[in-house]
Amino acid sequence: MKIKIVHTSDLHGYFFPTDYLDRERKAIGYLSLLNNIKKDEFTILTDGGDTLQGSSFAYYVKEFMNSEILADMMQNVDYYTLGNHDFNYGYDYLKNYTKNMRGKLLCANVIDKSGEINLANYAIKEIKGFKIGIVGIVTDWVNLWERKENLENFEIKDSFETAKEALNKLKEEKTDFNILIYHGGYEIDLKTGEKLSDTNENVGGKIAKKLDYDLILAGHQHMELSGKIDNTFAIETPANGTKAAVIEIDTEDKKISASFIKPKLEENYLIKKYESIEEKVQDYLDMPIAKLSRDYLPEDKIKMATEGSALADLINKIQREYTSSDISITSFANVVSGLKKNLTTRDVLNTYRFPNTAIVLEIDGKTLRKALEQNYTYIEYDGEYKIAKRFLEPKEEHYNFDFFYGISFELNLKKESGNKIGKIYFKEREIKDEDKFSIVMNNYRATGAGGFDMYKKLKVLKNYDKEISEILLTYFRNL
């Protein structure tokens, strides 16, 4: 007998065949993936989370509707876990989503202290006498990244230890095959075994080496990966509904084979059911909101990092004015559209693509220098400038380079890390170690994420509830 697992992860609100950069239909989106999935009694559909946030469609639903729409679109999923971004819009929004899901929520390392979300540690699916144990966990770095108010009702435990405890429970149940749905990735190269990261954000490799799950269905890193780590088959799907992983299990010898399927551009009943809402989203995105003096477009990433970016300067200027801060920093998602002269809502939401809020910290000159040195580890020089490997592998992390505004500084990228920054100036005066300033950044960076540990213990001067994308939209609408 052969059992099939179809796994998606990190859909980020991409249900329809569009990337929302324009109105064109493209081979993307969960609903189009369903056209290539045939579900029967031998097929299990799983999802690894990060469903509620990311696309313009997800933003529109959050602003004007509610999450039961997304749950209905995910009605074919049998078992799913939560991703770190599923906490972004607060407890009630997440609760409404989970209560309307038909599939079973497995997230063993998340405890809902209010008891209103039905979180199971594991499930057992029996097909013709073959017992499959399924566990779900999310990276415990949610504790680091998420806004405190969104986690008030939750306790999020250590990912590895919880995966270990859940597996022991499955063994007591005498399961034949054990699966981990993990919203996290692999800290090692699946081909070479090379260690790629020393953090605990992604522990898929550690789980595979030290525990004995038969199969890990990963996500979070937005990569297409497939291979074996010791005796565990490891797989991960790319983001935004561009592909799904298909795993076949031969129950006789537990042999596993895997492939990836792409979306198929055809109509289906869910696309037809919600196409009127999709049209409203597209119309909303095309609404003109301002006329700028020029286009502000992204350029080559190395050029922007070494020479600066007018687009980043504009966003920083708005952040600094909104918060009355001395210094502002911002970063870009891996892909952004830029702001066109005839500005639309689409331009703004496709340029600032994070659900982050603004936070103002107090920083001294010494800490500011440390932050700048860390920031410019992004660029290396070996006869030519290039982006450092750790920002590209195991996944692209261009969003962990920040553009600074309100200061100037001497920069020599040919020097070794730790000595690239010379004198730093504020209002043409050289900054001393003990000088203090207010600096605005997004709440993600303020946690120290991306290697910026120096921000973690800084004094918070002000927190803002409004998302930065909303701050930008309001600014442009008022021009």
Side-chain angles (χ1 to χ4, degrees), residues 42-88:
F42 301 103
T43 302
I44 301 169
L45 267 61
T46 62
D47 185 77
D50 269 9
T51 306
L52 304 184
Q53 177 278 334
S55 73
S56 296
F57 183 89
Y59 175 84
Y60 183 91
V61 170
K62 186 265 297 187
E63 286 292 295
F64 301 107
M65 311 183 82
N66 217 317
S67 53
E68 67 263 16
I69 293 170
L70 307 184
D72 190 36
M73 291 181 173
M74 298 290 287
Q75 62 181 258
N76 292 294
V77 171
D78 297 301
Y79 302 99
Y80 70 104
T81 196
L82 301 177
N84 52 292
H85 283 292
D86 293 323
F87 296 87
N88 288 163

Side-chain angles (χ1 to χ4, degrees), residues 18 47 49 53 65 82 89 108-109 120 132-133 180 184 200 234 258 274 309 329 336 341 378 391 472:
T18 176
D47 185 77
Q53 177 278 334
M65 311 183 82
L82 301 177
Y89 295 143
N109 65 325
I132 303 168
L180 177 66
N200 290 320
Y274 289 108
S309 163
I329 62 174
V336 298
K341 185 175 181 178
Y378 179 70
F391 289 87
L472 297 174

Side-chain angles (χ1 to χ4, degrees), residues 108-237:
N109 65 325
V110 175
I111 296 171
D112 174 15
K113 292 182 282 189
S114 299
E116 295 184 48
I117 296 177
N118 187 16
L119 290 148
N121 292 345
Y122 64 87
I124 295 175
K125 172 73 172 179
E126 191 165 341
I127 300 176
K128 302 288 186 182
F130 190 78
K131 291 177 70 174
I132 303 168
I134 309 171
V135 175
I137 57 172
V138 61
T139 173
D140 50 50
W141 276 40
V142 176
N143 289 318
L144 174 65
W145 298 320
E146 191 53 67
R147 292 156 62 186
K148 288 182 180 178
E149 58 267 33
N150 289 343
L151 295 181
E152 286 177 356
N153 291 325
F154 294 109
E155 177 188 348
I156 299 173
K157 301 185 295 182
D158 181 270
S159 302
F160 176 82
E161 292 301 324
T162 306
K164 182 179 179 181
E165 292 167 11
L167 182 59
N168 289 336
K169 292 287 186 184
L170 289 180
K171 288 179 178 179
E172 291 175 10
E173 300 274 4
K174 300 189 183 307
T175 48
D176 298 303
F177 191 92
N178 293 313
I179 299 172
L180 177 66
I181 307 172
Y182 174 39
H183 189 86
Y186 305 105
E187 76 284 18
I188 62 173
D189 187 302
L190 265 59
K191 292 181 180 178
T192 66
E194 177 192 357
K195 189 84 177 286
L196 299 174
S197 172
D198 292 321
T199 75
N200 290 320
E201 176 185 352
N202 303 297
V203 291
K206 181 181 178 182
I207 291 170
K209 284 178 174 293
K210 295 194 174 185
L211 307 180
D212 54 354
Y213 281 94
D214 296 289
L215 173 64
I216 297 177
L217 304 171
H220 185 57
Q221 293 171 311
H222 298 186
M223 299 174 71
E224 180 182 326
L225 297 171
S226 177
K228 286 201 78 172
I229 305 174
D230 292 348
N231 294 319
T232 299
F233 197 92
I235 199 161
E236 183 176 326
T237 58

